[in-house]
Each structure stands twice: as structure tokens, then as C-alpha cells.
Amino acid sequence: MTAHATHSNHAEGVGDVDAYMQHLGQQAREAATRMRRVDTAAKNAALLAMAERLGEARAEVLAANARDLARGRDSGLDDALLDRLALDEARLDAMIEGLGQVAALPDPVGEIDGLRSRPSGIQVGQMRVPLGVIGIIYESRPNVTMEAASLCLKSGNACILRGGSEARESNAAIAACIRAGLEQAGLPEGAVQVVATTDRAAVGKLISMPEFVDVIIPRGGKSLIERISREASVPVIKHLDGVCHVYLDATADPEKALAIAVNAKTQRYGTCNTMETLLVDAPLAESLLPRLAAAYDALGVELRGCERTRAVLDTLVVATEDDWAAEYLAPVLAIRVVDGIDAAMAHIERYSSRHTDAIVTENYTLARRFLAEVDSSSVMVNASTRFADGFEYGLGAEIGISTDRLHVRGPVGLEGLTTRKYVVLGDGQVRR
Amino acid sequence: MTAHATHSNHAEGVGDVDAYMQHLGQQAREAATRMRRVDTAAKNAALLAMAERLGEARAEVLAANARDLARGRDSGLDDALLDRLALDEARLDAMIEGLGQVAALPDPVGEIDGLRSRPSGIQVGQMRVPLGVIGIIYESRPNVTMEAASLCLKSGNACILRGGSEARESNAAIAACIRAGLEQAGLPEGAVQVVATTDRAAVGKLISMPEFVDVIIPRGGKSLIERISREASVPVIKHLDGVCHVYLDATADPEKALAIAVNAKTQRYGTCNTMETLLVDAPLAESLLPRLAAAYDALGVELRGCERTRAVLDTLVVATEDDWAAEYLAPVLAIRVVDGIDAAMAHIERYSSRHTDAIVTENYTLARRFLAEVDSSSVMVNASTRFADGFEYGLGAEIGISTDRLHVRGPVGLEGLTTRKYVVLGDGQVRR
């Protein structure tokens, strides 16, 4: 490893990729041990120092980003990708502000829950501690580099960040600010490392070093995440698709039903918590569907309906099996008329990606049933699915949304980047 | 799958193992959906019905067990294994009592934590829900069948249980009681299924059906668990080894130090929370080591020491690098003299399996540092490592001890078999 002991994170050529990644892993593991002992003040000082450095390095970061954009345009990246890649003063401001917000969040590390006395005389509780080393694999947005670094740091973890190759110069410029901030606060350089090579083999190595990496969080398209989950020998916190439903029960307040159905679909089209299928209880179909159709039409949303929907709205395209399973991420909505909550929940059980599903009802018992029985990471009554978000939930920050069942489900904030160990306080107790 | 729709769990020959396991998986998935909706009373009724059936079936279960034991003796199983395999009236009583205890535990499902109002007007909280389908793979002890079934059932999960082939007749007899109890309480048969084939291919299939199984919990030796973790395409909650430490600081009360060091090693030798290495702060060596040696000697514990230990106890065998890493599970103890808490924590950082580690000290700051900085699933001050146990911690039951970091760390009770989803309560709120 000594061959790499003096490598520069700026280097594009890192030589042997396996050895390079192993070196990063080793540095991260050592840093994680030190990070467990770092107090809140030092972590906050590092975050604020990074913000300061980023403020001072605006010109360099934007110049690096301009080179990435130029290369991206030359290599034919589409406009959506170029937009995600682009930084400007406003996005830099948001990154700087984000660092301050994370510094202001309560530190989850060290919190002790449920400390209770046992008949043996010991006291037992659970203390929140960092996960250790987190590997984050993401795509074109360079602001993710700072966001991920700040959340991992605040939660006491070391992290290894692997951004998209299209953002490599932007990421290197941001990484320089991160390193300077760590140094200024006296934290180990290994606490946040940005992978300097764009070699794809680096990802393969990062996800198969359980001795150095405790968990992988991929952020990106479904195919990236599926591939990483399949190949990783390290636990993965993943976010697959969002096929979200709103069910309008016959007992719904029609105005709430209309407002929520429109907002859940149209407030933003490309997000994972956007409604993709609307389920309408049969008694509402005649009265509500025409009003819904008019509202969606005014916003340019294409509707596809089941036969019973088309009995009311006869100009609609027929929704097929594919539509029920589709995550459109576009101004398209599938509508199905169902007979009551059981049929709605059966549809959700079959087609939901278990991300976010909502019911609109004024009935207490139906609300309670829907909350208990629908198995999704967020289940809502009388609220738009668009609320499924770390900021809206009050987590203060979000590193992603987990569609997994174990460890953490739904929006992942600082707490999702920690785990709990048992602490036992005694006075010399022994076991009988 | 129709070919298996009428299979009997008693059948030894199940035909195509893959198809059989897939059938169990499908049944479990369907049962898990129903189990989410089952109330506490029905789950408790099933547990008590199982206890009743087991009470009525004592003779059949003991006869089946006698056949397993006879076959085991013929095939040359060692005495320790035969002991674990053996059932008697007392062990049946304990199983029956265990069912009653699990029925009496609070139901974790449906508990809502931290329901808070947000500026948008929604209320957000986290509801505890079952994990889904749990696969449990264990070895010779047939009482694990009933224990695992009861914990999975109470936490609202469906489970597939795969016991050791040496216990197959005992397990089949217990499975009959489980089925009868489920039926009596009106719960689906698929809620608890005991794999009826002893074909090893069944394990390979069980750990690679993510569509039907949400998590695997292996219980057994380290090599079994490592193999399953390596090969599974489903998350695994694992329990690897317990290389546990007690560190006696110079600030310790000598009587507490002596009592804890002796208890942690000798209260039971074969358990994972037994101390394997004792770390003694240098200023204590002269006064305390002879007293410790006398106490261990009286109990027949073999001591191995570092050079500094041997400077005081000159008859000891030299402890080698292998001793620091060893999980003896036997009346053997490695002793090392260290210089203060930093050297002790460095030793623990290097050699601990991160199961359970303890400090004995009267110093407030050292206690606080040890609790915060030692990265093990249980960290203790002035208490014997032998307390690291679900019952001692007040979990009411224990399906195992997790040495993983994600999801659950330390003793795993009912809560560890659940996960939390977000619930959102609104009054028609939409996102702006």
C-alpha cells in the first residue's frame, strides 16, 4: 500500500485500481475509528469550514464544472443530464447553505434510548453510534458530493464517494474544499474521500470490500441500483422505483379528494413520490371523474383508464396491465375504478412498489385499516404522496429514500446512517 | 405449483426440492399478507393453542425424539450433539412455558413512535410492522422449532423453519402441534412452515428466493453462518463469534474487578458472551493477578499470559497471537497487562469480535469514554459480559444475537423481527 500512500486525489491515473480502492478503504476504516471519538463541535467546525472554502473556491469550482459541461456536450449528453451536471451561483449557494443546515441539526451519535433498570440491578439502554464506513455511488449531480459528505460526517461515519465520470472535474474541485475543511477542523483526511478514478472497476471493488466498507448507498437509476445490489458483498440501502397510489374512498371529502389527486400527480412529474395510479371507489366515479379529468386536462396530463373509468370518461385510452405497473415519471396517469377499500388494497398489494400509498377518506375505521394493512414505506391518510420526503418529514436532510425493509424504510436522514449498540451500566453485578 | 398444493409436511420425499421450496415460499408470502392484518388476540390464541397441543402430544413428540436419538447414536453423533437433540419432560415443560411467555409479551406491531406535527400541517410518525417472511436455519435443537415459530408469529411474520436433519422426526412432531394451533386460532397454515425435506438443496433454495423470503436468520456454528451469508441473495441477520473482553482499569474497585472477571469467564464456558481475554491495567498487576489466578485455579481455568503477566505469574503458558484472537468456549483464559484505557481499547479494537466488551472502573470519565468509543454490540461498565442476553436485557425473548451493524445489533427480540414504516395523517394537505 505504500505505493499509494502519497497519491493525490486529483490524479486521474491511479495505477492499479484494486490497490487504489483498497488504500481508500483502509484510510476510511482508520478514519472511522477516529470519527467515533470526535465530538459534535469538531464535526460542525469541519462542516462550516467546508462551506467557507467552497465560498472562496467558487471560481475554481465553476471553471471545473464548465470543463465537465463542455466535455459532456462534446460527447453528446442529453439536456436533462447536462442540467443535472450544471452548477451555477445559485446551486453553489444552496450547497453552502446545506452545509450550515447540517451543522445546525442535532447530532444523533451518543443518544441513549430506553435506559431501564433490570431486576439484576444493571441498567440497560441503546446508544446510537455511526455505521462505520459508507460507500456512496451516484451519477451526474456534483452537489451530491457535498451533500453526502456532510451527512456522513455529521453522523460520525467515514465515507467513500464515487460520482459520475461526467462530473469528475467538478467533483475534484469540491473534494479539495472538503479536504481543506477536514484539515482545518483537525479531522482525518480519510473521513471523506472522493474516488479520483473514473475507471468502472473502482465501483466493483468498492462494493466488495466488507473488511473496509460497512454499507453501500447507490443513488441513481433503477438499473444501476439493481446491478449494485446483485453484485455487492456489502449490505446495500437501496431505493428502487416509486409506483405510488392514491385511493379515493366513497367516504372521502370530494374537495380533499380532488386537491390531493391533482397535487400528487402534478406538483412534480419526475419524482419517486409522484402518484402513478389513481384508484377511485365506484360510488364516486360518476360525480368525481369528470371533475378530475377537467383538472388534469387543464394541466396537460394524459389519462388512461380501466373499462369502468371509460364508462364515465369515454375518450380515454384503455389502461393495460403495463400501465398498472408503470412508473411514468411523466404527465401520464392510470385510473382504475374499484369496489371499496378491499379491492383498492388488493390492487396496491399487487402493483405498488411499496414506496408511498395514500387513502382519502373521512371514515375512521377505513383510515385505521389502510394505515395498518398497506405495506409501503410511507402510508398516508388525506395527504398528498408528494410529502414522502426527508425534509417534509422533519429529518432535516435526506440521503435518499429506502424501499428496503431492513434497517431503514422510507426517507433516510442522519438517523438512518447510524445504528444502536447496547450499553450496560452496573455496580459490580455478576450473573447468577 | 399445483403438484405440491396438497403436499404433506410429514412427507420425507418431497420430489423436486426447488419446486417444493418455492411452494413453501409462495404460501409464506400469502400468509405474511394475512398476518399483517391479524390482531394480537388471534396471535396469542394461536400460541396458547400450540402450547395446549404440545401438552397433549407429549408422548408422540418424545417417541419421535427417541427415534431421532437412536438414529443419531447409530450414526455416531457425539454426546454434546445428542444432548442438544434430546427432549425430555422438563424440556417439553420449558417449551410450553415459553409459548405462554411469548403470548404474554406486548405486541410490537402497530406501535407508533414520534408522531409529530409538521409546519405543512401533516402529522408524521413511524409505525412498527412485521418484516414479512423470515427463514430460519438451525441445527440440532428441536426446541428451537417452537421458539422460532412463536417469536415470528407474535411479531406478525410468516416463517419457514429449516432444522437439522438429525432432529427431523422431532421437528415433524412439533410441526404438527404448530399446525393444529394455527388452525384452531384460524390463522393461515403458511404462517409457520417446517421444511419437511432433509435435502441440503432446500437451504440453498431458501436463501435465494428474495421474492418470497425477506430475511434469513441462521443459528448455528460460525462456518454455517459464514457460508449462508456468502451465498444468500436475501439479507441475513447473523451472529458470528464472541471474543469478549473485560478490562480492569487501575481505578477499579478490586472486589468488583475480581467478581466480574471470575463471573465473566466461569459462569458458563460455552456461551458467546463469555470473556475470552482479560486485560489488566499495569498498576493492578502485582496486587490483583495472584488473587485472580487463585480464583481461576480453584475453578480449573487454564491461564495463558503475556510476558508482563508472566512477570507476576511465572508458571503461566505464554499467550500467542492466536490466543488474542481465540474464542475458546472452554475453561481457558488469555490475560494481558496493558498500560491504561487507550492500550486496552486498542487491543479491543484489534481483537474483539465486537460482541460484548466491559470495563471495570470507578472513574466517571473513563466509563464514559469506554461506552462511547468501544464499537461492540454490547458495551458494559462494572457488569459481567454474561449479561449480554435478551432475557437479561428485558426483551422477554431472544431469537439470537446479532453481530451485524445494520438493522439490529446485539440480542434480537420481537422488535428486531419488525421494521418501521412512516405514517402520515393529514386533513387534505397538498404540497406547495
Side-chain angles (χ1 to χ4, degrees):
Chain A
M1 292 290 65
T2 48
H4 289 278
T6 58
H7 84 275
S8 153
N9 267 341
H10 297 284
E12 295 260 333
V14 294
D16 177 349
V17 172
D18 267 23
Y20 168 70
M21 291 306 293
Q22 201 152 337
H23 173 67
L24 294 190
Q26 220 155 17
Q27 299 259 98
R29 179 59 77 210
E30 284 169 30
T33 304
R34 281 192 53 198
M35 286 300 291
R36 287 206 302 272
R37 314 180 181 199
V38 166
D39 64 19
T40 309
K43 293 188 286 193
N44 290 346
L47 293 168
L48 297 176
M50 288 174 192
E52 202 184 308
R53 294 307 178 108
L54 189 57
E56 291 161 5
R58 282 173 183 268
E60 290 95 306
V61 173
L62 291 177
N65 187 248
R67 292 194 296 276
D68 282 335
L69 284 167
R71 209 179 48 251
R73 269 187 297 266
D74 289 350
S75 62
L77 293 187
D78 67 31
D79 285 351
L81 235 149
L82 287 171
D83 177 57
R84 284 199 288 267
L85 176 55
L87 293 178
D88 54 21
E89 294 289 350
R91 285 187 178 174
L92 284 180
D93 287 344
M95 286 165 73
I96 291 168
E97 205 185 317
L99 284 161
Q101 285 164 353
V102 173
L105 287 176
D107 187 340
V109 174
E111 182 184 309
I112 297 181
D113 286 337
L115 191 71
R116 264 189 278 263
S117 294
R118 298 289 307 149
S120 61
I122 60 172
Q123 279 183 292
V124 182
Q126 286 179 285
M127 183 191 279
R128 206 161 271 292
V129 293
L131 283 175
V133 177
I134 301 177
I136 299 186
I137 298 162
Y138 50 104
E139 294 177 329
S140 46
R141 291 174 53 224
N143 34 348
V144 172
T145 305
M146 198 53 111
E147 202 179 293
S150 66
L151 295 175
C152 291
L153 182 75
K154 181 73 184 227
S155 52
N157 294 286
C159 63
I160 301 176
L161 309 176
R162 172 48 148 85
S165 59
E166 60 281 13
R168 66 175 175 259
E169 297 209 41
S170 313
N171 286 337
I174 294 166
C177 300
I178 293 173
R179 276 197 306 277
L182 288 171
E183 199 187 341
Q184 192 173 320
L187 298 190
E189 201 183 336
V192 182
Q193 295 176 98
V194 176
V195 175
T197 174
T198 58
D199 191 325
R200 292 191 73 179
V203 171
K205 185 68 184 175
L206 181 58
I207 64 175
S208 52
M209 306 192 290
E211 66 280 26
F212 298 131
V213 178
D214 295 298
V215 59
I216 292 286
I217 304 178
R219 291 182 51 163
K222 194 179 175 188
S223 70
L224 169 82
I225 295 172
E226 282 181 334
R227 186 170 58 84
I228 285 171
S229 305
R230 208 168 41 239
E231 293 171 10
S233 57
V234 171
V236 177
I237 295 177
K238 48 182 179 299
H239 174 199
L240 296 174
D241 39 4
V243 180
C244 304
H245 298 76
V246 173
Y247 165 59
L248 309 179
D249 188 77
T251 59
D253 172 316
E255 300 316 312
K256 292 179 189 170
L258 196 67
I260 289 170
V262 171
N263 185 265
K265 181 70 234 180
T266 66
Q267 203 253 343
R268 267 181 77 184
Y269 294 112
T271 49
C272 55
N273 55 18
T274 296
M275 168 179 65
E276 303 292 13
T277 297
L278 177 67
L279 301 170
V280 179
D281 200 2
L284 290 182
E286 286 277 0
S287 61
L288 206 58
L289 282 175
R291 293 182 66 194
L292 281 163
Y296 287 128
D297 196 49
L299 292 157
V301 177
E302 177 195 334
L303 304 180
R304 303 181 188 172
C306 69
E307 285 306 334
R308 295 169 77 184
T309 305
R310 293 175 72 237
V312 182
L313 304 172
D314 55 6
T315 60
L316 294 200
V317 175
V318 184
T320 65
E321 190 67 17
D322 284 351
D323 286 297
W324 307 134
E327 184 183 20
Y328 299 119
L329 299 171
V332 182
L333 176 68
I335 304 181
R336 185 170 201 172
V337 172
V338 295
D339 292 310
I341 192 173
D342 286 300
M345 291 200 299
H347 180 101
I348 291 170
E349 179 72 18
R350 175 147 180 209
Y351 296 104
S352 171
S353 66
R354 299 170 191 277
H355 186 298
T356 300
D357 297 293
I359 186 174
V360 184
T361 181
E362 294 299 314
N363 180 289
Y364 166 83
T365 298
L366 296 185
R368 219 162 155 255
R369 277 195 63 197
F370 195 86
L371 286 175
E373 296 178 21
V374 171
D375 180 39
S376 300
S377 72
S378 287
V379 185
M380 303 184 171
V381 179
N382 293 355
S384 168
T385 55
R386 287 281 297 127
F387 283 111
D389 173 285
F391 293 91
E392 292 294 337
Y393 284 1
L395 306 184
E398 178 187 292
I399 196 140
I401 293 185
S402 165
T403 56
D404 282 325
R405 307 185 66 80
L406 267 73
H407 185 63
V408 61
R409 250 187 129 178
V412 182
L414 290 177
E415 193 178 289
L417 301 179
T418 63
T419 182
R420 294 192 304 173
K421 68 184 181 191
Y422 280 96
V423 292
V424 174
L425 309 180
D427 288 304
Q429 279 81 5
V430 297
R431 184 132 171 224
R432 304 291 164 196
Chain B
M1 293 288 66
T2 47
H4 290 280
T6 57
H7 85 276
S8 153
N9 267 340
H10 297 284
E12 296 260 334
V14 293
D16 178 349
V17 172
D18 267 22
Y20 168 70
M21 291 307 293
Q22 202 152 335
H23 172 68
L24 295 190
Q26 221 155 15
Q27 300 258 98
R29 179 58 79 209
E30 285 169 29
T33 304
R34 281 192 51 197
M35 286 300 291
R36 286 206 302 272
R37 313 180 180 198
V38 166
D39 64 17
T40 310
K43 293 188 287 191
N44 290 346
L47 293 169
L48 297 176
M50 288 174 193
E52 202 185 309
R53 294 306 178 109
L54 188 58
E56 291 161 5
R58 282 172 183 269
E60 290 94 306
V61 173
L62 291 177
N65 187 248
R67 292 193 295 276
D68 281 334
L69 284 168
R71 207 179 50 250
R73 268 186 297 265
D74 288 351
S75 60
L77 293 187
D78 68 31
D79 285 351
L81 234 150
L82 287 171
D83 176 57
R84 284 200 288 267
L85 177 55
L87 293 177
D88 55 21
E89 293 289 351
R91 285 186 177 175
L92 284 180
D93 288 343
M95 286 165 72
I96 291 168
E97 206 185 318
L99 285 161
Q101 284 165 352
V102 174
L105 287 176
D107 188 340
V109 174
E111 182 184 308
I112 297 181
D113 285 337
L115 192 70
R116 264 190 279 262
S117 294
R118 297 289 308 148
S120 61
I122 60 172
Q123 280 184 292
V124 182
Q126 287 179 285
M127 184 190 277
R128 207 161 270 294
V129 293
L131 283 176
V133 177
I134 301 176
I136 299 185
I137 298 163
Y138 50 105
E139 294 178 325
S140 46
R141 291 173 53 223
N143 33 349
V144 172
T145 306
M146 198 53 111
E147 203 179 292
S150 66
L151 294 176
C152 290
L153 182 76
K154 180 75 185 224
S155 52
N157 294 286
C159 63
I160 301 177
L161 309 177
R162 172 49 149 83
S165 59
E166 60 280 14
R168 65 174 176 261
E169 298 210 41
S170 312
N171 286 338
I174 294 166
C177 300
I178 292 172
R179 277 197 306 276
L182 289 171
E183 199 187 342
Q184 191 173 322
L187 299 190
E189 200 183 337
V192 181
Q193 297 176 96
V194 176
V195 175
T197 173
T198 57
D199 191 324
R200 293 191 72 180
V203 172
K205 185 69 185 173
L206 182 59
I207 64 176
S208 51
M209 306 191 291
E211 66 280 27
F212 297 132
V213 178
D214 296 297
V215 58
I216 293 285
I217 304 178
R219 292 181 51 162
K222 193 179 175 189
S223 70
L224 170 81
I225 294 172
E226 282 181 332
R227 186 170 57 84
I228 285 171
S229 305
R230 208 169 41 240
E231 294 171 9
S233 57
V234 171
V236 177
I237 296 176
K238 45 182 182 298
H239 174 200
L240 296 174
D241 39 3
V243 180
C244 303
H245 298 76
V246 174
Y247 166 58
L248 309 179
D249 188 78
T251 59
D253 172 316
E255 301 315 312
K256 293 179 189 169
L258 196 68
I260 289 169
V262 171
N263 184 265
K265 181 69 231 180
T266 67
Q267 202 253 343
R268 266 181 77 185
Y269 294 112
T271 49
C272 55
N273 54 18
T274 297
M275 168 180 65
E276 304 291 13
T277 297
L278 177 67
L279 301 170
V280 179
D281 199 2
L284 290 182
E286 286 276 358
S287 60
L288 206 59
L289 282 176
R291 293 181 64 194
L292 281 164
Y296 287 128
D297 195 51
L299 292 157
V301 177
E302 178 196 334
L303 303 180
R304 303 180 188 174
C306 69
E307 285 306 333
R308 294 169 79 184
T309 305
R310 293 176 73 237
V312 181
L313 304 172
D314 56 6
T315 61
L316 293 200
V317 175
V318 184
T320 66
E321 191 67 17
D322 284 352
D323 286 298
W324 308 133
E327 184 181 20
Y328 299 119
L329 299 171
V332 181
L333 177 69
I335 305 182
R336 185 171 200 171
V337 172
V338 295
D339 292 311
I341 192 173
D342 286 298
M345 292 200 299
H347 179 101
I348 290 170
E349 179 71 18
R350 174 148 181 209
Y351 296 104
S352 171
S353 66
R354 300 172 191 276
H355 187 298
T356 300
D357 297 293
I359 185 174
V360 184
T361 181
E362 294 299 314
N363 180 289
Y364 167 82
T365 298
L366 296 186
R368 220 163 153 255
R369 278 195 63 196
F370 195 88
L371 287 174
E373 297 177 21
V374 171
D375 180 38
S376 299
S377 72
S378 287
V379 184
M380 304 184 170
V381 178
N382 293 354
S384 169
T385 55
R386 285 282 297 127
F387 282 111
D389 173 284
F391 293 92
E392 292 294 336
Y393 283 2
L395 306 185
E398 178 187 292
I399 197 139
I401 294 185
S402 165
T403 56
D404 282 325
R405 307 184 67 80
L406 267 71
H407 186 64
V408 61
R409 250 187 128 177
V412 183
L414 291 176
E415 193 178 290
L417 301 179
T418 63
T419 182
R420 294 192 305 174
K421 68 183 181 192
Y422 280 95
V423 292
V424 174
L425 309 181
D427 288 305
Q429 278 81 6
V430 296
R431 184 130 172 226
R432 303 291 164 197

